[in-house]
Amino acid sequence: MGEARSAPTVGQMVLGMRLRDLREKAGISYEEAARALHVNQTTIRRMEKAEVGLKLPYVEKLLQTYGAEQEEVDAFLALAEDANRPGWWHRFRDVLPDWFSLYVSLEGSASRIRAYEPHFVPGLLQTEAYARALLRIGFPNAGEREIDRRVALRMERQELLTRPDGPHLWAVIDETVLRLGIGGPEVMRAQIDRLIEATRMPNVTLQVVPFSAGPHPGMGGPFQLFRFQIPELPDIVYAEALTGAGYLDQRADVAAYLEALDRMGTQATPARRTEGFLRDMRKEL
């Protein structure tokens, strides 16, 4: 059936869901769909979950089995061909692990990103100098070329915030982020200046949870929640660990993270006061 993919593109995820919906609407079981392709049921399930690439002949046969009109088949095949093309980030595959390439795909397709960061400035808001200092800490054995590649990837990701159709970023950070001193005082002053600029962007909301706010629900670690205008895609939460990450889309899981974000938002400095908070922090540097 093809090579397994641990990191599908958003386009492949959407088309997999559409294949599932068309199969269910036609009243066709996994077994019947598998029989049409002369494969096992697992292959059909994996296609619908975007765990494998969408082979066009297989997709065409399935759509015909589901009773789709030729015009619908042609349109679906064109979308599948486009979804199978590697994203722009594919050229950074030498420094982009599979588990994070899905993140970049989700980030680029989201209409809204809500983020919590307890230790570091969110990647979309980092200066180049801050990113370089942080990456040197995270990859102490990496050579200069590898660090350059990782910085370039991070800077290119930031371009989505200035796109006309870019997402709205609502980030909550702990005061710790501003006090860790990544890269030294000069780097941190420039980074805080960048955050001040970000508070004036129409599609960025930034809040800081001060030490005085005490414990809060997000203390377990950083996470991001992606929301999409694509009807088929549910909200998806990305939660980080030291050597990988998890992607959650079950309603109960997402609801728990949304509740944590809402509670943190009430404990954090109101967004309208963030610039003043940042200026006070900058003076201390």
Side-chain angles (χ1 to χ4, degrees):
M1 169 55 204
E3 185 177 334
R5 295 190 179 188
S6 57
T9 66
V10 167
Q12 289 168 335
M13 293 171 63
V14 171
L15 293 181
M17 292 175 185
R18 288 184 183 174
L19 280 176
R20 179 200 62 199
D21 293 343
L22 287 169
R23 178 183 57 76
E24 292 176 346
K25 185 178 179 181
I28 292 176
S29 66
Y30 284 116
E31 183 180 4
E32 291 168 325
R35 193 179 303 126
L37 294 185
H38 304 290
V39 297
N40 58 41
Q41 296 180 42
T42 301
T43 296
I44 304 299
R45 295 177 187 272
R46 293 176 71 192
M47 288 179 68
E48 292 181 358
K49 293 180 179 179
E51 293 176 352
V52 292
L54 295 172
K55 283 193 172 183
L56 300 189
Y58 282 13
V59 171
E60 183 174 19
K61 182 63 176 177
L62 283 179
L63 293 173
Q64 292 169 349
T65 302
Y66 301 159
E69 299 290 338
Q70 189 58 45
E71 184 178 348
E72 184 178 6
V73 172
D74 292 341
F76 197 107
L77 290 174
L79 291 173
E81 188 172 12
D82 185 61
N84 283 340
R85 293 192 183 100
W88 64 264
W89 55 90
H90 185 69
R91 68 179 188 274
F92 289 99
R93 60 189 180 277
D94 56 320
V95 294
L96 186 63
D98 284 342
W99 57 264
F100 195 69
S101 62
L102 175 56
Y103 179 98
V104 180
S105 182
L106 295 172
E107 182 180 71
S109 300
S111 60
R112 191 173 184 83
I113 303 171
R114 294 189 65 178
Y116 166 63
E117 285 288 351
H119 302 122
F120 311 118
V121 171
L124 292 179
L125 301 178
Q126 293 176 7
T127 65
E128 183 173 338
Y130 181 97
R132 187 175 298 278
L134 185 59
L135 287 165
R136 283 196 177 116
I137 296 169
F139 300 92
N141 299 318
E144 200 60 29
R145 182 185 179 281
E146 180 181 337
I147 296 296
D148 287 344
R149 294 281 290 160
R150 293 184 182 277
V151 170
L153 169 62
R154 191 158 301 185
M155 294 301 103
E156 191 157 347
R157 282 172 49 209
Q158 295 182 3
E159 293 178 8
L160 70 89
L161 287 181
T162 56
R163 286 185 343 210
D165 62 341
H168 185 280
L169 172 64
W170 181 358
V172 176
I173 64 175
D174 278 352
E175 183 176 338
T176 304
V177 172
L178 305 173
R179 294 190 179 275
L180 272 181
I182 302 296
E186 184 176 349
V187 170
M188 284 305 301
R189 280 193 292 269
Q191 179 59 73
I192 291 177
D193 287 341
R194 171 71 182 97
L195 293 177
I196 290 172
E197 292 172 7
T199 64
R200 300 168 185 166
M201 296 176 67
N203 60 328
V204 174
T205 301
L206 181 62
Q207 291 182 270
V208 181
V209 182
F211 291 149
S212 59
H216 59 75
M219 296 176 67
F223 60 89
Q224 287 77 32
L225 187 147
F226 301 103
R227 178 162 291 173
F228 309 88
Q229 290 184 330
I230 304 169
E232 292 90 345
L233 277 183
D235 290 351
I236 297 176
V237 170
Y238 165 90
E240 290 185 15
L242 182 62
T243 58
Y247 294 90
L248 309 172
D249 62 3
Q250 295 300 308
R251 188 170 298 178
D253 293 329
V254 173
Y257 280 92
L258 271 173
E259 183 179 359
L261 282 165
D262 289 341
R263 288 186 178 181
M264 282 189 287
T266 62
Q267 289 182 253
T269 300
R272 66 181 182 278
R273 297 180 185 169
T274 298
E275 181 176 343
F277 188 96
L278 292 171
R279 289 192 180 281
D280 289 343
M281 290 293 300
R282 194 188 188 288
K283 290 176 183 176
E284 295 184 23
L285 295 171

